Amino acid sequence: MKRREFMAVTAAALVTPMVAHASETLDYIPGLVRERLAAGETLFVDFKASWCTTCRAQERVIGQLRADNPAYDENITFINVDWDEYGRGELATELNIPRRSTLVVMKGEDELGRIVAGTSRGDIQALMDTALAASGAS
């Protein structure tokens, strides 16, 4: 492989994970939240169930806000926690999550805000803006 080709392939390989992170939502597995917080990321954690109508309403609002403002995806790590699988798990217990349809913003060791069963665009946007500000984005 020629040096120029090697440099282009290497640069693409380094950028690709960042681009993939920019718009994906991670599915929770035990340890993921601690790992991402330790890495200095700002998290938007969504405790949800597939059958929950409130969760679906929140998901629509979150999706619209993310589409309207790319800075959210560029600076915030979004994590979905399956309530049916992890609703009684360590993370939900540690954070004192009362029910599905709970949205939580975290940075470091701090919880910066939460919404329980709220679907208001303004409230969810305010929570996402809190996350964006905590990430250091302008």
Side-chain angles (χ1 to χ4, degrees):
M1 182 180 282
K2 295 179 184 166
R3 180 177 167 182
R4 196 171 292 171
E5 291 173 8
F6 174 77
M7 297 294 280
V9 168
T10 302
L14 292 173
V15 172
T16 300
M18 289 185 275
V19 171
H21 168 76
S23 63
E24 74 178 326
T25 298
L26 304 175
D27 290 326
Y28 174 78
I29 57 171
L32 178 65
V33 168
R34 288 232 176 267
E35 172 188 310
R36 295 300 178 121
L37 288 172
E41 296 176 28
T42 303
L43 307 183
F44 187 97
V45 184
D46 185 350
F47 291 84
K48 62 196 318 177
S50 61
W51 48 266
C52 171
T53 56
T54 303
C55 301
R56 283 196 300 270
Q58 289 175 329
E59 185 174 22
R60 283 191 298 274
V61 172
I62 293 165
Q64 290 167 353
L65 290 167
R66 288 173 74 178
D68 291 347
N69 187 352
Y72 293 134
D73 282 339
E74 293 165 5
N75 295 285
I76 302 167
T77 301
F78 291 84
I79 299 175
N80 286 336
V81 180
D82 183 331
W83 183 258
D84 292 330
E85 188 168 353
Y86 298 109
R88 302 270 184 246
E90 182 180 336
L91 180 65
T93 301
E94 180 181 316
L95 295 177
N96 197 29
I97 303 300
R99 56 173 288 167
R100 68 201 178 282
S101 68
T102 299
L103 309 172
V104 180
V105 169
M106 303 174 71
K107 174 82 174 190
E109 294 295 318
D110 298 323
E111 178 180 317
L112 305 178
R114 77 168 53 191
I115 295 173
V116 178
T119 60
S120 159
R121 180 181 172 95
D123 291 346
I124 293 172
Q125 183 171 1
L127 186 64
M128 291 174 71
D129 287 345
T130 296
L132 193 60
S135 75
S138 301

